[in-house]
Amino acid sequence: MTIPPKDFSPLLSFTQKEPAERPKEAIDDLIPDKIYSKQEIVEYLKQSREKCRQLIYALTDETLNERFKEGDDPSDMDYPILEILLYNLRHTQHHTAQLNMLLRQDLDKHMAWSFRAGDLNQAYQNQ
């Protein structure tokens, strides 16, 4: 959600690792530089959500068609902003599914799902 993407700086640090360097439980090549606390993760989610909200509210017909260009290599992403937002939504769904799988495998827990913003806050307050 950083435009241009070259200006991206992660809110929580991570390192890209080659297969031989990854922990056996890793599900991706990006490995957190430490085990983050629940508070750090929640703050990261709040900041990410606000960044997304600001980006979406600032969209206009013109900006939807501006390009999200990752770099100058022919294989780099080069999409209209609207398409990269849809790509990010799908990417987030992918990682949500990975986390859901880990919760079920390791803790025998499942995620509560919501159809409206705010529903989950109420559900978790009642636990």
Side-chain angles (χ1 to χ4, degrees):
M1 293 183 296
T2 301
I3 303 168
K6 67 177 178 53
D7 293 342
F8 174 70
S9 177
L11 299 171
L12 298 176
S13 62
F14 59 87
T15 303
Q16 191 167 7
K17 302 269 187 179
E18 294 299 323
E21 300 175 293
R22 295 178 203 155
K24 67 178 179 74
E25 67 274 7
I27 56 174
D28 205 349
D29 63 343
L30 297 176
I31 308 301
D33 291 339
K34 69 174 200 158
I35 306 254
Y36 294 106
S37 69
K38 181 178 179 180
Q39 183 179 355
E40 289 172 306
I41 297 292
V42 168
E43 185 58 32
Y44 170 79
L45 291 171
K46 285 179 182 177
Q47 290 175 355
S48 296
R49 188 175 190 180
E50 183 57 30
K51 183 176 183 178
C52 183
R53 181 179 288 122
Q54 289 177 9
L55 176 67
I56 289 171
Y57 286 154
L59 290 173
T60 65
D61 289 342
E62 293 78 32
T63 58
L64 284 173
N65 290 311
E66 288 178 7
R67 304 301 289 184
F68 176 94
K69 193 165 164 68
E70 187 177 37
D72 294 324
D73 192 272
S75 64
D76 286 342
M77 287 191 226
D78 181 3
Y79 301 111
I81 299 298
L82 178 59
E83 192 169 343
I84 202 67
L85 289 173
L86 294 172
Y87 173 90
N88 278 336
L89 177 63
R90 186 173 51 88
H91 186 83
T92 301
Q93 290 171 324
H94 166 76
H95 287 297
T96 301
Q98 287 177 322
L99 288 170
N100 217 8
M101 177 191 69
L102 292 172
L103 286 170
R104 285 191 178 270
Q105 285 179 343
D106 296 348
L107 303 174
D108 196 26
K109 300 270 185 189
H110 70 280
M111 292 290 301
W113 293 98
S114 173
F115 295 101
R116 289 180 296 276
D119 285 354
L120 290 180
N121 289 336
Q122 184 65 33
Y124 288 122
Q125 288 173 359
N126 291 333
Q127 286 184 348

